[in-house]
Structures are given as C-alpha cells and as structure tokens.
Amino acid sequence: MYDSEMNSMIKYLVGASRIKFSVLDEIFKEIHINQDMIVMYVDAHSIIYRLYRLKSLDSIYSLPAEVAVKDLVVSFINVLGHYRRYFATHLGKTNDIIITFNRKLPIYQGSIDPDYQHKLYEVYESDHKDYSSLTEIVDTAVQFIKSIVPYFEGIYFLENEGIDDFAAMYHMMSSEKYNGVYNLIFSRNILPTQLISNTCSQLYNKRDSSYLITNNTVYQNGILKDRKTVASENLTSDFLPFIWTLSGCSDIGLKKSKYVGSTTGTVKLFNKLVDHHIIKSGMSIQSFLKEISDHIDNGAEFRMTMNKMMDRYRLVDIPLAASAISKSQTINLWKNVFDLYDQEGLELINDKLAEINGDAELLEITNLNMATVENDFFI
C-alpha cells in the first residue's frame, strides 16, 4: 500500500549522486581551473544505476507509476541543479551541463562486437524479467526530463540513442561551441579516463569517498586505483586504449587477451617501453602493435592476430568511435541543444508536478538557473 507521507526510495537512490559540497571542496581545493566555463558531461547511467538493484525493486514498485515517474524526474533534474550551484557559488564558474543516456547497443561498437557492454544494456531490455517495469518508468521519466531541461539555460539532454555515451561526449567536446572550456566528466565508468588532459577531468561519484581523476592522477585514480603499481610519469592518458587492447577493460566487458597478464603487469610493461622511447605518445595503433609484438610472449602468434587486436582497439578508443558518427546522427545529437526562456512556463510545470501527489519537494529552480556567475552569490 502506497503511503504518500513515506520518503520515496527513488528520491533516496537518485539523490545519493549529490556529492556533498564539503566533499567537493576537498576534491577541488588543489585543482586550478583557468577557464571561465565548466562543461559537465553527465553519464546518466551513473546517476540512476542504484535503481537497478534487485533489493530496491519492491520499494520502487510499491509506488504508483505516475508518482515513480515524477520522483525520478524531479530527483534527476535536482542532481544537475546541485552541481550547477556548486560550480557557480564555490568555483565561480559559468557552466553548461550535457547529459547522455544511450540504452541500446551502439551501432558502431555493435558492428565490431555484439556483446559490447552487454551487462549494461541488457537491464534496459523491454522483456527483462526483473527490470522491465522499472525501465518503463525510466523511459517515461527521460521524455519528461528532455522536455523540461530546455527551460534551464545551458542544460542539454542529447539524443544519442545508438551512439556510445562517451563518443557523444567527445563529439561535443570537440565542437566549436565548446572550444576553450574546462570539461568535467561525471561517470563511474573507467573508459573516458582516456580523454583526461589539462582541460578535462573525471568526477567519480562514490558518496563521501568520491574523487577526481585528473591529468596528474589518471592512472593512480584510474586503472591503478587501490593498487601498489605506479605508472611512469611518461605514461599519459592516450596510452590507455593501447593498454586496454591487451589487458581488456572490465567496465565495457572486454576480457584480457592471452598475450599479457593482469592490468598491473601490462602497466609495468608499458612503463619500460615508454621510458625507453619504444612506444610514444601519439603513435598509431598499427605502429604500436608492431612494436609491442617484439616485447610480449608468443610474439609470432600475436602478429597473426593483428586484425583481432585492431577490433579490440576500435572498441576502446573513444575518438575513433566519435569519428564514426554519421551526419544524420550528428543532426540528431544536436537537436536538443537549445534554450527556452519561459520562467512562467517553468513555474506551471512545477505546479503540475505538485498536483501528482501533493509533494512539496519539487524542482530546485534557483539552483538550476545558475548558468552564469553573479557577484552576490559567489562565495
């Protein structure tokens, strides 16, 4: 029996993605962002993933469908407002927020490996034995969210169905619109750490244990997190696709090849090769495969599997996937990048949301409107 006075499990699980400002202050205290604008790229899976746990389903399914949808819409959008307020009031930065949320096998990666990120996409299948009803709630909520966020300047929910989330992010990062900004990726997936640079970092959401992966900690806080192995200072983020080609990447379901051992063992090998200038930043995959074949066991056999290794590389290299985005996909990606200036309409939406179950916890409009920095609220 639904009790409207009870706290919603959806609000709790989605709201857990709001990292406390005190934790964010600690994370960003040594980070110097010279750019005036931050563009936060939100991997929506990393906000709603807590819903897709069997132990949560009874509480979620106890809600009337319209209440569940409303709770997800409001909670998700308010997570965005939470970070928008932080950027404006604590970092003093103008900001845009871009959301990606692909829930089906991407066309490009699927042409290489039909099992790409299978564990991620299978929970969204309409006939899933446990999560089909939850996915109906999510699908409905996403459509509402897409219709609401244009009312907040600089918040865009991309149409990237069939396009890998991180390829879509990289496409936007590389656009003229976002030239000269600081990019911040909000994701629990290790794959986008390959994009980290002096102007791009990744915020890994883990409640009070959340952390930032930066150009200086791309290995320490990335694939070597909680491991004793240390990466060479010459091992930059652009080597990661080469490492994953050999060692695999568990976050996308790519198993290790038989030619190397563990991730740490692969990094140790790369440390030696990069320090002796045998492999170099910016080298092609063809040159890398040729060089590495002389430094691994069964090198002769390895050279016979170059096409297979190339396919593995194509699965993990984000810029390569982004370059495969077609013209029609590009048009679709950009169609939601617009702003509506209608505060009265926004207030009306909030009123209609309140009518669903009389819940006073609605969109935090003040936070969501903090696209630019005003002197009276910057700390």
Side-chain angles (χ1 to χ4, degrees):
M1 179 71 68
Y2 167 65
D3 182 352
S4 62
E5 298 300 317
M6 292 180 62
N7 288 328
S8 164
M9 178 61 76
I10 291 177
K11 290 180 184 178
Y12 171 75
L13 294 173
V14 174
S17 293
R18 297 165 66 136
I19 302 170
K20 295 174 185 174
F21 280 12
S22 58
V23 175
L24 290 171
D25 284 341
E26 188 66 24
I27 287 173
F28 281 98
K29 71 177 183 180
E30 301 296 335
I31 307 300
H32 302 289
I33 300 175
N34 297 321
Q35 294 76 12
D36 295 328
M37 183 178 188
I38 290 176
V39 180
M40 184 180 190
Y41 291 88
V42 175
D43 164 17
H45 302 284
S46 293
I47 291 181
I48 72 158
Y49 75 97
R50 293 182 179 92
L51 300 179
Y52 283 85
R53 291 172 173 169
L54 292 176
K55 65 182 181 180
S56 304
L57 290 182
D58 285 344
S59 295
I60 293 172
Y61 290 158
S62 70
L63 297 170
E66 69 273 15
V67 174
V69 169
K70 175 217 168 170
D71 286 349
L72 180 50
V73 169
V74 172
S75 301
F76 186 96
I77 294 178
N78 284 344
V79 168
L80 308 180
H82 174 80
Y83 291 103
R84 171 156 269 194
R85 183 179 187 87
Y86 183 80
F87 298 146
T89 62
H90 286 239
L91 299 184
K93 300 296 181 181
T94 296
N95 58 89
D96 276 7
I97 297 177
I98 296 174
I99 309 110
T100 62
F101 192 32
N102 176 53
R103 282 157 286 161
K104 62 187 294 186
L105 179 66
I107 295 170
Y108 171 76
Q109 285 83 357
S111 69
I112 304 166
D113 179 7
D115 289 326
Y116 177 79
Q117 295 218 64
H118 176 69
K119 288 185 178 180
L120 173 66
Y121 298 126
E122 72 170 341
V123 300
Y124 299 113
E125 292 174 356
S126 60
D127 59 351
H128 193 282
K129 67 182 181 69
D130 297 310
Y131 299 119
S132 58
S133 295
L134 174 58
T135 295
E136 285 184 27
I137 293 168
V138 170
D139 288 345
T140 304
V142 165
Q143 294 311 308
F144 273 111
I145 294 168
K146 287 180 179 179
S147 71
I148 293 172
V149 294
Y151 288 91
F152 302 107
E153 181 183 355
I155 300 182
Y156 309 119
F157 203 132
L158 301 187
E159 292 285 357
N160 69 303
E161 181 176 303
I163 303 173
D164 178 78
D165 290 304
F166 305 118
M169 290 181 189
Y170 184 76
H171 173 87
M172 301 301 289
M173 289 179 192
S174 305
S175 69
E176 186 176 344
K177 178 178 175 64
Y178 291 117
N179 182 39
V181 305
Y182 189 88
N183 299 304
L184 179 64
I185 301 168
F186 183 93
S187 180
R188 291 171 55 85
N189 194 306
I190 203 69
L191 192 68
T193 55
Q194 65 185 275
L195 303 179
I196 288 174
S197 67
N198 287 328
T199 59
C200 180
S201 59
Q202 181 172 336
L203 183 59
Y204 191 99
N205 168 35
K206 200 177 180 183
R207 296 196 177 183
D208 289 354
S209 299
S210 299
Y211 55 91
L212 198 66
I213 309 174
T214 68
N215 205 33
N216 294 325
T217 63
V218 65
Y219 286 91
Q220 172 189 333
N221 284 350
I223 62 172
L224 296 178
K225 181 72 172 173
D226 299 324
R227 303 187 190 195
K228 294 181 179 179
T229 301
V230 176
S232 165
E233 62 181 16
N234 296 316
L235 203 60
T236 51
S237 62
D238 59 338
F239 285 104
L240 283 167
F242 293 158
I243 291 173
W244 288 321
T245 296
L246 297 178
S247 70
C249 181
S250 60
D251 281 10
I252 64 167
L254 182 65
K255 297 179 180 179
K256 76 178 185 70
S257 71
K258 67 178 183 179
Y259 302 105
V260 296
S262 63
T263 296
T264 54
T266 306
V267 170
K268 288 177 181 178
L269 171 62
F270 273 60
N271 283 344
K272 294 178 182 178
L273 297 179
V274 74
D275 287 344
H276 288 86
H277 309 290
I278 295 171
I279 58 174
K280 303 176 180 65
S281 178
M283 72 189 306
S284 69
I285 180 61
Q286 292 85 356
S287 297
F288 164 74
L289 292 175
K290 181 180 179 181
E291 291 293 346
I292 200 70
S293 66
D294 294 329
H295 300 276
I296 58 174
D297 295 334
N298 302 317
E301 180 185 345
F302 178 84
R303 283 187 283 272
M304 298 294 290
T305 64
M306 289 295 194
N307 287 340
K308 184 176 180 180
M309 291 298 113
M310 281 291 298
D311 280 346
R312 290 171 62 89
Y313 175 77
R314 290 167 62 202
L315 287 174
V316 297
D317 190 75
I318 293 173
L320 194 60
S323 69
I325 295 174
S326 67
K327 289 183 179 179
S328 61
Q329 287 177 319
T330 298
I331 293 170
N332 215 36
L333 269 181
W334 283 89
K335 76 177 186 180
N336 286 350
V337 183
F338 65 91
D339 300 305
L340 294 175
Y341 300 93
D342 183 1
Q343 288 301 300
E344 288 185 7
L346 187 55
E347 294 289 352
L348 182 61
I349 290 171
N350 234 5
D351 290 342
K352 289 183 177 179
L353 288 169
E355 292 172 1
I356 293 176
N357 63 338
D359 187 353
E361 188 175 342
L362 299 174
L363 298 177
E364 297 168 357
I365 293 175
T366 301
N367 290 353
L368 289 158
N369 278 332
M370 290 185 175
T372 58
V373 179
E374 301 291 343
N375 291 332
D376 57 349
F377 63 67
F378 175 52
I379 296 175

